Every structure is written in C-alpha cells, then in structure tokens.
Amino acid sequence: HEWTPADKPRDRLGAEMPTYNKFNQFVEDKAKGVHNLAVDQLVVALSNTKPNRTDSVLADIVEIDYTNLDSRMLTTTSAAQTDGTFKLMIDDLVLTAADAVPEFQYVTVYNDAPTSPEDPVISWADYGKKVNMIAGQTFDITFDQTNGFHTET
C-alpha cells in the first residue's frame, strides 16, 4: 500500500510520517515464502544514501555505523487478516544515541530471519533531511497505528 498526499498518516505529534516505499523484490519474496511476517524479526537499517527500488537484500544498502545506537529491532504487535485484508502492525521505535551517530536520512526495514536470501529488504522511508544525533538524543521512527505498516488485499 502506498499513501497518497491526502491520506498520508501522521505520527502521535501530528507530523506527517514519511512515505512507505516498497522494494520491488519484496513482492516476489512474499510469493516465494521468504517472509513470515507474523514471526520473523524485522529490523531497521539507517543510511545516508537513497535506496533503490531494485535493491533486494541489506547488503545492497549503504549503512551507517551503529556503534552508538541502541537496539534497532522492531516489535510486531499484530499480523492478521480481517475480511480478506492482511494488516501488519508494528510498534513505534525510539532510537537513543549513547554518543555521536553518523548522519542519516533513510530508514530501511528488513527481515533479519531468512538466510536465503539473507536479510531481504521490505521497504524504506525518506525523512526529507539529514538527521544528526548526539549523546542522549532520541529519534522516533513511527508507524501507522491505524492502517498498519503493511496492508495487503
């Protein structure tokens, strides 16, 4: 599902959330059983380089150094269908810097569970500007708590 400007979701503070951009390979990977979104561990990767829709695994993404960040693992709260529509719900994630973190602008969600292919990518978001974090700062990665991170009919 991709959002149009009129229905773009807002975070809990009222700010527009970045647009969900699906990687092309995600569609094929789902069809071939690579992902079990109900139980697989999803993780965020941070980058200062814009991903390409044709990227297929985490190794295709230019990541920043995570030494000074806490956990990037996401928590799935629900993965279920209602009336033929599947909805994947994910808790918001707050990243906290222990010290300076390299700047980033793009947040990629990938699946850490599969080994073949290893770490397949799902989607990415452009935060619209470079994010700089110093010791003690936090960065909120918010997910749509109404429509879900991913929906499929």
Side-chain angles (χ1 to χ4, degrees):
H1 178 87
E2 300 211 18
W3 302 105
T4 61
D7 68 355
K8 193 167 184 182
R10 297 188 175 276
D11 68 15
R12 63 184 178 275
L13 301 176
E16 282 190 2
M17 295 190 316
T19 301
Y20 170 99
N21 299 285
K22 178 176 55 184
F23 287 103
N24 295 343
Q25 186 64 40
F26 176 58
V27 176
E28 182 178 338
D29 286 347
K30 282 189 314 172
K32 292 183 175 179
V34 171
H35 299 279
N36 182 345
L37 297 174
V39 297
D40 288 353
Q41 179 62 63
L42 304 184
V43 181
V44 297
L46 308 175
S47 180
N48 202 21
T49 304
K50 184 177 181 178
N52 296 307
R53 284 191 179 275
T54 56
D55 292 341
S56 59
V57 293
L58 184 60
D60 296 332
I61 306 297
V62 179
E63 296 179 84
I64 67 164
D65 179 2
Y66 302 115
T67 301
N68 294 320
L69 277 176
D70 57 355
S71 177
R72 297 172 293 114
M73 292 191 288
L74 297 171
T75 300
T76 299
T77 56
S78 174
Q81 69 82 28
T82 302
D83 296 327
T85 299
F86 172 81
K87 187 186 301 185
L88 177 64
M89 303 296 291
I90 296 176
D91 273 347
D92 294 344
L93 178 66
V94 178
L95 296 175
T96 303
D99 206 340
V101 174
E103 71 179 11
F104 61 92
Q105 179 173 338
Y106 306 95
V107 175
T108 296
V109 174
Y110 70 96
N111 187 340
D112 197 38
T115 57
S116 181
E118 185 174 6
D119 300 332
V121 292
I122 296 172
S123 68
W124 61 274
D126 179 350
Y127 276 77
K129 64 181 179 181
K130 306 292 183 198
V131 175
N132 293 293
M133 295 176 69
I134 59 172
Q137 282 188 319
T138 60
F139 180 74
D140 292 347
I141 300 174
T142 56
F143 296 97
D144 188 334
Q145 299 302 315
T146 301
N147 298 305
F149 164 69
H150 173 75
T151 57
E152 190 171 329
T153 54

